[in-house]
Amino acid sequence: MANHQVQAKNPASGMHWFGALSASFARLAGSPVTFALAMALLVAWALSGPYFGFSDTWQLVINTATSIVTFLIVFLIQNTQNRDARALHLKLDEIIRSIKRAENEMINIERLSDEELAELTERYDRIRCEAEKRRVQQKAG
């Protein structure tokens, strides 16, 4: 069997712009430096309260800023999770494909309908129950 090597694409030479941008921002957003910067901004905002008289505008600044950041981060996180899940499924698909005794029908099952997934769940629950029964019988016998 041919050994296929997968080359990672250079973000500058072909990866979709949103994927590259979101991956970069996700790394940046999850860094200790970004956390420290966010904490410093919150402390600065809180300390500025007396200067601004704890006004409605002062409160609106932090509410608006955090809402915007949260709104954007949700999309970045979702994109990162989608990419990670896709990569994980591809890795699992390759493992399934490469094991001779594995059932190749399990490749790409994440694309099945909820009903089809429920049927597979029941099937594997039955297999697990049968295996458990055999294990108990072997212990008893």
Side-chain angles (χ1 to χ4, degrees):
M1 177 178 289
N3 197 7
H4 299 284
Q5 186 175 11
V6 178
Q7 296 282 331
K9 287 186 179 179
N10 182 344
S13 70
M15 182 186 272
H16 190 268
W17 69 269
F18 183 71
L21 183 68
S22 66
S24 297
F25 275 119
R27 277 191 300 279
L28 180 65
S31 74
V33 172
T34 303
F35 178 77
L37 179 63
M39 289 299 294
L41 286 172
L42 284 175
V43 168
W45 171 80
L47 293 175
S48 71
Y51 177 77
F52 290 106
F54 300 102
S55 69
D56 289 344
T57 303
W58 173 78
Q59 292 177 36
L60 188 60
V61 166
I62 197 69
N63 289 338
T64 303
T66 55
S67 293
I68 290 169
V69 169
T70 301
F71 179 76
L72 294 174
I73 289 292
V74 164
F75 294 102
L76 295 175
I77 290 171
Q78 188 61 54
N79 179 268
T80 301
Q81 286 182 334
N82 290 346
R83 289 173 40 85
D84 288 349
R86 188 174 338 129
L88 181 62
H89 284 287
L90 290 169
K91 290 174 185 179
L92 290 171
D93 290 346
E94 174 59 16
I95 291 169
I96 292 168
R97 186 198 61 78
S98 68
I99 298 173
K100 292 188 187 315
R101 290 185 40 198
E103 296 187 35
N104 287 336
E105 70 184 35
M106 298 302 284
I107 294 174
N108 281 330
I109 65 167
E110 66 274 7
R111 295 181 182 172
L112 296 178
S113 69
D114 287 339
E115 292 80 19
E116 292 168 317
L117 288 173
E119 288 173 17
L120 273 174
T121 300
E122 289 174 15
R123 175 179 161 195
Y124 280 93
D125 282 346
R126 283 192 303 273
I127 292 170
R128 183 191 49 79
C129 286
E130 290 170 10
E132 180 68 18
K133 285 178 189 175
R134 282 193 304 273
R135 188 183 66 77
V136 169
Q137 288 172 349
Q138 286 174 350
K139 269 188 170 181

